[in-house]
Amino acid sequence: MAPNSIDPAEVAKFQAMAQEWWDPSGKFKPLHMLNPTRLDYVTAQIAGQFGRDRAEAAPFAGLDILDIGCGGGLMAEPMARLGASVTGADAAEGNIAIAALHAAEQGLAIEYRTTTAEALAAEGRRFDVVMALEIVEHVADPQAFIATCRDLLAPEGMLIVSTLNRTAKSFATAIIGAEWVMRWLPRGTHDWRRFITPDELARMTHDAGLRVVDRRGMVFNPLGWNWSLSDRDLSVNYLLTALRGTASPSSS
């Protein structure tokens, strides 16, 4: 049996909120606000790697994309609209039920499954792109999870991860601000001790035999009430892109 990176307590948190995935004013309001910015980053990285023109009608046609920890499908649906063949996987059955229903209502063909990254890898599934967005800070073993994501990549495949940095600013913003003050998320949604610094994540990807090609911050502007990408500020939310090539995992 394949090892499992799932933390049951973390899954239960999101299972309890599953009904609110598509409510932009509900408990997933922060993700709805963030989604256009991370979507812009993800599509730019994919287009650049695979030589696609985002201005075309279906620029990602022919690409197999996995959204691991897909939640209600906030990123899976745009990928499908861009022409990709999309698989959405989540350990929380309630999330998958909501995601599948919403996709059907939108007329989108997305393969949604209640499963784990390890189970998909054991099946021999391989993808051009694996998206692991806002999930690595919730898994039981981040290093093992990144290694499994590598196993899910086709040769020259791309892994895109987004997560939270472990800084005083991220505690003030993501815990005190988002959970305690604004109450955008239930208290306890995030555990600051499980946040991962960009250098730690880069080391994990390197040790898994992946090559980091980009890191970018996502910065919230309280005056404009919007998000933007930053080349310099990775102090709270950030994204990392890595490629699978011929390098072997580090033995260190």
Side-chain angles (χ1 to χ4, degrees), residues 99-116:
L101 175 61
H102 195 271
E105 291 173 344
Q106 303 300 310
L108 296 171
I110 298 173
E111 179 189 0
Y112 279 119
R113 295 179 58 184
T114 305
T115 189
T116 65

Side-chain angles (χ1 to χ4, degrees), residues 6 14 18 21-22 28 31-32 35 38 65-79 86-100 102-103 110-117 120 130-136 145:
I6 297 303
F14 292 93
W21 270 107
W22 289 97
F28 292 103
L31 279 183
H32 282 272
N35 215 42
R38 66 177 182 173
I65 296 180
L66 170 65
D67 186 2
I68 189 72
C70 64
L74 298 187
M75 285 293 289
E77 288 199 7
M79 294 297 110
V86 180
T87 299
D90 201 291
E93 186 175 359
N95 289 347
I96 292 298
I98 293 297
H102 195 271
I110 298 173
E111 179 189 0
Y112 279 119
R113 295 179 58 184
T114 305
T115 189
T116 65
L120 288 170
V130 172
M131 302 187 301
L133 309 176
E134 281 72 54
I135 180 177
V136 70
F145 175 75

Side-chain angles (χ1 to χ4, degrees), residues 23-88:
D23 179 0
S25 299
K27 292 176 180 176
F28 292 103
K29 180 178 180 177
L31 279 183
H32 282 272
M33 295 169 62
L34 181 65
N35 215 42
T37 300
R38 66 177 182 173
L39 179 62
D40 181 53
Y41 176 87
V42 168
T43 56
Q45 291 297 311
I46 295 172
Q49 171 65 9
F50 295 97
R52 305 302 178 93
D53 182 355
R54 289 190 290 173
E56 294 182 354
F60 296 165
L63 294 179
D64 289 319
I65 296 180
L66 170 65
D67 186 2
I68 189 72
C70 64
L74 298 187
M75 285 293 289
E77 288 199 7
M79 294 297 110
R81 289 192 178 93
L82 291 168
S85 175
V86 180
T87 299

Side-chain angles (χ1 to χ4, degrees), residues 136-173:
V136 70
E137 70 272 22
H138 296 289
V139 302
D141 186 339
Q143 178 67 76
F145 175 75
I146 294 296
T148 301
C149 288
R150 172 208 63 214
D151 294 341
L152 287 163
L153 290 172
E156 309 303 324
M158 168 180 280
L159 171 65
I160 303 176
V161 181
S162 65
T163 189
L164 286 152
N165 197 350
R166 193 176 62 257
T167 62
K169 186 176 179 180
S170 72
F171 185 85
T173 303

